[in-house]
Amino acid sequence: MAEAMASPNPSGGFFHRLANPARFQRLSAWLMPWLVLITLGCFGAGLYYGLYASPIDYQQKDTVRIMYVHVPAAWLAMMSYSTLAISGFVALVWRHPLADVAGAATAPIGAIFTFLALFTGAIWGQPTWGTWWVWDARLTSVLILFFMFLGYIAIRNAFDDRARAGRAASLLAIVGIVILPIIKFSVDWWNTLHQPASVSKLSGSSMDPAMLRPLLIMAVAYMALFGVLLLLRMRLELTRRRVEALQMARAGAATP
Amino acid sequence: MTEDMSPLMSFFHMGGYWPYIWPAYGVVAVLLIGLLVWTLVALKRSKLELEALEALAPRRRRRTETSPAGGPDDAQP
């Protein structure tokens, strides 16, 4: 890793190899219709079950329906951060140009999912806990996750040199991975108002199948949408870099 | 009040929790669709930009692909 980071000429040549990422474009073109189909189908079914064809909770009444948009958002927030950290690692260690592109493409998606988890959680908290927000470990750690996505985006925009920005942002993403176990186990390590895990437990899920169904369908819908957004934003990032490279080449040719 | 509501009304009423449930679903829909639309518009725009640039210098494109580095990026300290 240190060897890769200490490479003497990081900015030149490296991104020009992106010029023809044909394999990615082919794979993405093949995947896209499937992902769109899964997204539409699962959102349709998930909304039907979540809003209509599922029972109300004996305590929470209808507010339990917020779970079907809240919990998958939180899962996707964490999945997005894993993607960010993994692509940062691959970008730093193997200097794979597509990994850097994937990181840049993931950050805004992750920020949106994290915001949605926080926002829908606040709306759910008011009728069930009697408060929009508490500074408990789960809520606070997810808020930190949100700021980490924003920090990642800020770092990427803070450098003129795209390669340096990419390395700094990748490093932040890798170091920040400690937030994921903190979020996951925050409900066990600390006394929190947020309820502990009820879907993924060693003893099996403690949730009623009629509620688990819409939750899992919505989770698949969110994941497929994440895939669609990621592929589109990677295409966008690649096109932008290509435009930049061409503009640079023109500027270089104009002033030899 | 909930007794004499039509099925459609009671669906929107959500047992009285409509002020929480619909905004939660609404924000999710607006932000996710918004992100998708924003991405598609930006992609369309940068594709047009790329096409315009490639039309300007069709031969220079080949050269930048094979030339090592180059550009003002390297001139930076």
Side-chain angles (χ1 to χ4, degrees):
Chain A
M1 187 166 146
E3 194 184 42
M5 282 168 66
S7 168
N9 184 16
S11 58
F14 176 55
F15 286 113
H16 288 264
R17 262 176 271 151
L18 281 175
N20 187 21
R23 272 170 85 191
F24 165 75
Q25 301 284 15
R26 268 204 308 274
L27 181 72
S28 142
W30 181 83
L31 268 173
M32 188 60 86
W34 297 104
L35 286 173
V36 170
L37 213 68
I38 296 170
T39 305
L40 292 175
C42 286
F43 266 115
L47 289 175
Y48 169 73
Y49 284 113
L51 284 170
Y52 182 69
S54 59
I56 59 171
D57 187 76
Y58 79 101
Q59 270 184 328
Q60 304 190 22
K61 308 286 183 249
D62 271 297
T63 59
V64 74
R65 302 191 192 285
I66 297 176
M67 171 172 74
Y68 309 130
V69 284
H70 167 77
V71 173
W75 286 343
L76 262 290
M78 295 177 74
M79 207 180 96
S80 303
Y81 197 85
S82 311
T83 311
L84 204 69
I86 292 169
S87 47
F89 186 78
V90 175
L92 277 188
V93 175
W94 290 288
R95 326 216 75 215
H96 196 293
L98 268 183
D100 191 68
V101 168
T106 305
I109 310 172
I112 293 280
F113 277 122
T114 314
F115 178 83
L116 285 176
L118 290 166
F119 196 88
T120 56
I123 294 179
W124 198 8
Q126 176 60 26
T128 47
W129 299 340
T131 178
W132 302 102
W133 182 264
V134 280
W135 291 101
D136 94 341
R138 174 55 74 81
L139 278 70
T140 309
S141 53
V142 175
L143 184 66
I144 292 171
L145 181 71
F146 179 60
F147 288 134
M148 284 165 68
F149 279 117
L150 296 189
Y152 182 96
I153 296 170
I155 287 182
R156 278 216 173 256
N157 294 323
F159 293 85
D160 283 333
D161 181 347
R162 196 191 273 284
R164 278 179 69 193
R167 282 199 307 279
S170 298
L171 204 60
L172 171 84
I174 294 167
V175 173
I177 193 95
V178 291
I179 194 71
L180 292 187
I182 293 177
I183 292 174
K184 169 74 184 142
F185 296 111
S186 58
V187 285
D188 303 323
W189 292 344
W190 292 284
N191 260 322
T192 56
L193 191 53
H194 194 285
Q195 64 155 356
S198 48
V199 175
S200 61
K201 288 201 303 191
L202 287 177
S203 51
S205 174
S206 58
M207 199 181 289
D208 190 284
M211 291 179 179
L212 197 57
R213 183 194 297 135
L215 180 61
L216 294 183
I217 295 174
M218 284 298 268
V220 174
Y222 273 51
M223 268 188 265
L225 179 63
F226 173 81
V228 171
L229 288 167
L230 180 64
L231 290 181
L232 286 175
R233 294 204 69 84
M234 281 179 76
R235 285 185 199 171
L236 172 63
E237 189 70 23
L238 284 168
T239 318
R240 277 184 179 159
R241 289 180 183 195
R242 185 92 185 89
V243 165
E244 227 167 71
L246 280 178
Q247 281 170 341
M248 260 176 207
R250 279 175 61 81
T255 53
Chain B
M1 186 190 167
T2 35
E3 304 300 310
D4 51 348
M5 268 194 291
S6 72
L8 193 67
M9 274 303 288
S10 81
F11 172 71
F12 286 114
H13 190 65
M14 282 286 166
Y17 289 106
W18 61 269
Y20 302 102
I21 293 168
W22 293 116
Y25 277 75
V27 167
V28 169
V30 166
L31 285 189
L32 290 183
I33 294 171
L35 179 61
L36 185 64
V37 170
W38 171 48
T39 303
L40 286 172
V41 168
L43 183 60
K44 182 86 194 162
R45 251 187 222 151
S46 57
K47 268 183 180 165
L48 287 175
E49 208 179 347
L50 181 61
E51 273 168 27
L53 274 169
E54 281 175 341
L56 267 176
R59 258 187 298 164
R60 193 166 292 137
R61 182 185 159 211
R62 289 243 65 87
R63 221 177 293 153
T64 49
E65 270 174 5
T66 47
S67 75
D73 210 29
D74 290 75
Q76 282 177 2

